[in-house]
Amino acid sequence: MAIQWFPGHMHLTRKAIEERIKDIDVVIELLDARLPGSSANPLLAELTGHKPTLKVLNKQDLADPGRTPLWLDWYNAKLETHAIALDASDAAPARKLIDGCRKLAPTRQGLSRPMRVLICGIPNVGKSTLINTLSAKRQAKTGDEAGVTKQEQRIVLADDFYLWDTPGMLWPRIIVDQSGDRLAATGAVGRNAYDEEVVALDLLEYLKGQYAAQLDARYKLGLSVDDIAAMHDDELLERIARKRGAVMSGGKLNMQKAAEIVLTDLRGGVLGRISLETPAEFEGWLAEAAVKEEARALKKAEWDKRKVRKDASRARRREQE
Ligand code: G4P
């Protein structure tokens, strides 16, 4: 299912980033460690003028510990990029952020050349939680300089390290259909932009192949991993509905309720540590999307050419009349 969703404050965010970016040395992009590809905004590099970027795979406590290192390697192989994993239980996130940024801009040290960092992330990635933790320990200041929106916050992480938090949120730019469904499943997309049952079925389609044992453990399905993997998604959701008592009067299964149960369980980490994409899968989706985009562009170019020919022949006819 293709989800197209843009929070209303995206223009505010874009403007805030554009205003601040000229004085920034490193950009921190907070990502959801369960979706390190889909939770990134591919426009960020453009928006920030390709500044060095620290990718923080946040909520690592919810992600598959076998997959997070693959994603760290994937990002670390990119130019001007460094990646770390983090979660809200970390007692010293500031130290990790400082060390990560220093790797990208080692010369920004000391009071005369302080490190200036901008932090951004899509909704629900844990930015407010992290900012609150950081501000609780250090002094948070509201920006009062010309051109700086009132809500901009500057947090002093060290005497020579300033972190700027832009107002608003980065928006996910959904370029592959799979990303839309997975972002909706983890709660990054506004609730009115998707159908919970459709998203839960898509989620189960993925989980039954990759995390069948966790599904069995949570919902006491009493089935082997192979049997779960072979089940149709609808059948699986029905079974979960029955097991969890999502039944309406008259005995009809309440599939909406069952879908909500599955999504709530995923979001709360009750299903166990799960990641919804690997770098290889994500690259495959990107390649598919690129092929589709190329076909769309070719079709459009063909259509434009035909229109030009039609207009020219119409103009010729008018001249002859
Ligand atoms: P945002 O500003 O990026 O939109 O995200 P926010 O900090 O509001 O966090 C969204 C949800 O994710 C919150 O849960 C928050 O507690 C949770 N969260 C943030 N960081 C982490 C983390 O590292 N690990 C885990 N497991 N959860 C994290 P909520 O249910 O929406 O609210 P609440 O329960 O905190 O009230």
Side-chain angles (χ1 to χ4, degrees):
M1 182 185 54
I3 292 177
Q4 284 309 328
W5 177 77
F6 302 98
H9 41 63
M10 90 182 204
H11 296 295
L12 171 69
T13 309
R14 180 191 282 266
K15 199 160 165 282
I17 292 176
E18 280 166 4
E19 275 171 12
R20 173 55 54 199
I21 199 65
K22 56 186 183 308
D23 301 320
I24 289 298
D25 306 303
V26 172
V27 173
I28 294 180
E29 184 176 22
L30 273 193
L31 303 172
D32 187 324
R34 294 166 296 176
L35 296 161
S38 295
S39 58
N41 184 326
L43 287 181
L44 185 66
E46 223 174 275
L47 270 179
T48 61
H50 299 272
K51 297 262 172 164
T53 305
L54 179 68
K55 305 278 184 185
V56 176
L57 276 56
N58 203 28
K59 301 194 180 185
Q60 70 157 341
D61 57 316
L62 298 176
D64 185 332
R67 290 189 176 187
T68 300
L70 302 178
W71 278 106
L72 292 176
D73 289 349
W74 193 72
Y75 274 122
N76 280 326
K78 296 193 184 298
L79 278 179
E80 298 282 346
T81 307
H82 183 64
I84 61 169
L86 203 65
D87 67 67
S89 71
D90 200 303
R95 190 67 261 157
K96 288 195 174 151
L97 297 180
I98 292 172
D99 291 348
C101 290
R102 292 235 193 279
K103 284 205 163 68
L104 290 158
T107 61
R108 298 296 316 189
Q109 290 213 45
L111 292 180
S112 61
R113 284 176 63 78
M115 175 84 81
R116 299 152 310 168
V117 173
L118 179 76
I119 187 165
C120 39
I122 67 166
N124 204 44
V125 81
K127 191 170 77 141
S128 313
T129 308
L130 178 62
I131 294 289
N132 285 342
T133 309
L134 295 170
S135 335
K137 301 221 170 98
R138 288 280 182 164
Q139 197 183 0
K141 292 179 184 166
T142 308
D144 55 2
E145 293 150 52
V148 178
T149 32
K150 281 281 181 290
Q151 295 80 8
E152 189 181 57
Q153 212 186 162
R154 190 184 78 167
I155 302 158
V156 183
L157 290 193
D159 290 341
D160 60 351
F161 195 109
Y162 306 151
L163 180 73
W164 299 93
D165 179 23
T166 49
M169 295 275 182
L170 213 56
W171 58 99
R173 182 166 172 257
I174 300 165
I175 48 177
V176 297
D177 292 354
Q178 291 91 336
S179 296
D181 288 325
R182 309 288 150 82
L183 285 161
T186 54
V189 173
R191 282 189 84 141
N192 51 5
Y194 63 91
D195 179 318
E196 277 160 326
E197 202 177 318
V198 173
V199 169
L201 286 170
D202 171 80
L203 176 66
L204 289 175
E205 163 74 23
Y206 189 77
L207 296 184
K208 71 181 188 184
Q210 313 261 350
Y211 295 101
Q214 279 94 322
L215 286 176
D216 187 51
R218 174 64 183 160
Y219 301 117
K220 317 239 175 325
L221 300 171
L223 295 168
S224 72
V225 163
D226 290 341
D227 286 345
I228 292 173
M231 262 174 125
H232 196 274
D233 318 329
D234 289 309
E235 212 185 330
L236 190 50
L237 190 59
E238 278 169 24
R239 205 167 175 117
I240 292 170
R242 237 175 260 119
K243 286 279 176 187
R244 297 300 304 269
V247 183
M248 295 186 282
S249 57
K252 196 166 179 279
L253 294 177
N254 187 340
M255 300 298 272
Q256 168 68 22
K257 174 98 185 291
E260 282 169 20
I261 289 172
V262 173
L263 295 179
T264 306
D265 284 353
L266 175 83
R267 289 168 191 167
V270 188
L271 290 175
R273 296 181 69 172
I274 283 172
S275 294
L276 298 177
E277 57 197 24
T278 63
E281 282 167 347
F282 188 66
E283 279 183 352
W285 300 339
L286 282 180
E288 278 169 25
V291 170
K292 267 197 213 163
E293 179 54 29
E294 202 180 322
R296 199 195 60 79
L298 273 175
K299 216 168 162 184
K300 186 173 179 306
E302 190 53 41
W303 194 86
D304 287 348
K305 235 197 275 169
R306 244 186 274 157
K307 188 170 179 308
V308 169
R309 273 205 301 269
K310 240 190 205 164
D311 289 349
S313 103
R314 236 184 247 141
R316 261 198 314 276
R317 272 205 306 277
R318 266 202 301 275
E319 266 172 32
Q320 286 160 3
E321 280 163 13

